[in-house]
Amino acid sequence: QPDWQRDIMFRFSAGLYYQPPFYKEMRNLQGVLNKELSAQQSIHLLIGGDYLFTSWERPFRLSAELFYKDLRQIVPYKIDNVSLKYAGDNLAKGYAMGVDFKINGEFVPGAESWLSLSLMQTREDILNDYYFKEIDEEMVKIEPGYYPRPTDQLFSAGLFFQDYLPNNPDYKVHLNLIYRSRLPYSSPKKDRFDEYYRLPPYRRVDVGFSKNIKKFKRDKEPGKPFTFFRDMWISAEIFNLMGMNNTISYYWVRTISNQENMPGMFAVPNFLTSRRFNLKITARF
């Protein structure tokens, strides 16, 4: 924390990680068990900082982090419906890098809110892989190189905002907005990992309403309900207010092989939870 006029703190961290293989990682796409599978490795580097400042006579915090991960001895995988299908061997190397920003504070006095933005890219390369493709009536050797990992999500943004009635702060409302860009996916029936498509973007809106039913008082009031609690809130929330169909994966359906002008497989989307209602009571002793 430099001795500056502005309240700024920097941080740096690094790490070397070895992840011993799990049973599912040792099974390849054909179900054969590889008992000689090595641990996946990664080197993490992260630098970040926090800036504390005052605006509109209220405190705010701006945080930023820049990270890079060097990935080695990767076991590639695909997503089949809701199951992970691993290659069963240390075939690839890769990386993940990105930057995160977040600002949080009391945009409205007494109500914490925040805004976050993230950029990330993660890729992997299967070592010594190639295939032949006919170009201009000639078979050409193609080396795919780096391709997106299943978690490659370039952009993510979130907003959480709280407010209350000006003349009655016991009544609060909060709004939660989430947007995330398209994730890659590929057919689990094909051996190649570099052939991929993109899911639709993830979008969600949540809204909630809260009422304070027990305020904090230092002295207990015998005979009154909830006297042993510091405070209590009751909340009603609506998750996925707009009822958006967010795709999480695909279920691959094969067709009969002798049908003409028909693809060999159809990708049927699996959707995440639709609109849901939630009632919550929060109490502090």
Side-chain angles (χ1 to χ4, degrees):
Q1 185 171 9
D3 186 14
W4 294 348
Q5 185 176 359
R6 298 180 183 272
D7 191 356
I8 298 177
M9 176 179 289
F10 296 100
R11 57 182 177 272
F12 172 79
S13 62
L16 174 63
Y17 298 88
Y18 285 74
Q19 178 180 294
F22 296 97
Y23 173 76
K24 289 191 67 175
E25 296 172 352
M26 300 170 69
R27 290 174 58 91
N28 63 17
L29 299 177
Q30 291 74 38
V32 179
L33 197 64
N34 179 13
K35 298 182 180 180
E36 304 300 323
L37 188 67
S38 299
Q40 299 184 86
Q41 304 174 13
S42 64
I43 299 175
H44 296 200
L45 299 173
L46 183 146
I47 184 171
D50 295 323
Y51 172 38
L52 303 180
F53 63 98
T54 300
S55 184
W56 304 305
E57 299 182 352
R58 295 188 290 275
F60 287 87
R61 177 191 297 268
L62 174 63
S63 300
E65 288 186 342
L66 178 68
F67 64 89
Y68 181 83
K69 300 181 181 182
D70 181 35
L71 310 175
R72 304 176 183 180
Q73 298 187 169
I74 297 176
V75 181
Y77 68 93
K78 295 183 178 183
I79 300 177
D80 183 7
N81 197 2
V82 293
S83 176
L84 301 182
K85 302 293 185 181
Y86 290 90
D89 205 350
N90 304 102
L91 299 179
K93 64 178 181 178
Y95 66 87
M97 62 180 181
V99 60
D100 297 320
F101 299 97
K102 184 176 182 179
I103 182 171
N104 63 288
E106 297 181 1
F107 293 91
V108 177
E112 186 82 7
S113 302
W114 51 262
L115 171 68
S116 65
L117 297 172
S118 299
L119 297 173
M120 186 192 72
Q121 183 183 75
T122 177
R123 302 290 176 101
E124 64 187 9
D125 177 22
I126 295 182
L127 304 176
N128 304 318
D129 65 326
Y130 63 89
Y131 62 91
F132 289 93
K133 182 178 181 180
E134 184 176 354
I135 302 178
D136 297 331
E137 299 182 354
E138 181 180 354
M139 299 303 294
V140 179
K141 183 180 179 181
I142 304 295
E143 297 180 356
Y146 283 93
Y147 61 90
R149 305 193 74 208
T151 54
D152 180 60
Q153 194 164 54
L154 178 61
F155 178 74
S156 177
L159 170 65
F160 181 81
F161 182 78
Q162 290 190 94
D163 200 354
Y164 52 81
L165 295 180
N167 297 325
N168 194 343
D170 290 345
Y171 291 87
K172 287 186 177 182
V173 61
H174 70 263
L175 183 67
N176 186 33
L177 305 176
I178 301 174
Y179 178 87
R180 294 171 184 166
S181 60
R182 306 166 67 188
L183 285 167
Y185 74 96
S186 59
S187 170
K189 309 301 180 184
K190 296 184 179 181
D191 293 333
R192 284 177 52 186
F193 287 83
D194 60 294
E195 290 186 339
Y196 67 92
Y197 311 95
R198 290 279 182 176
L199 296 173
Y202 179 88
R203 299 158 297 168
R204 203 179 90 201
V205 178
D206 303 332
V207 65
F209 305 89
S210 303
K211 170 68 171 68
N212 183 274
I213 57 178
K214 169 66 171 63
K215 294 183 179 180
F216 170 70
K217 292 185 177 180
R218 293 186 178 276
D219 299 325
K220 296 182 179 180
E221 301 174 294
K224 289 194 175 183
F226 313 125
T227 186
F228 294 102
F229 295 103
R230 289 173 58 87
D231 59 13
M232 293 185 68
W233 287 83
I234 183 170
S235 304
E237 299 171 292
I238 306 176
F239 298 125
N240 195 5
L241 177 65
M242 310 303 294
M244 297 177 179
N245 288 328
N246 291 306
T247 304
I248 184 61
S249 65
Y250 286 94
Y251 176 68
W252 295 86
V253 179
R254 286 183 175 273
T255 61
I256 300 176
S257 59
N258 60 0
Q259 290 185 349
E260 296 182 358
N261 300 321
M262 292 286 288
M265 290 182 295
F266 286 95
V268 181
N270 293 312
F271 296 120
L272 289 169
T273 304
S274 60
R275 185 184 297 110
R276 287 292 184 270
F277 299 89
N278 183 57
L279 184 65
K280 178 175 65 176
I281 296 178
T282 305
R284 293 193 303 171
F285 293 93

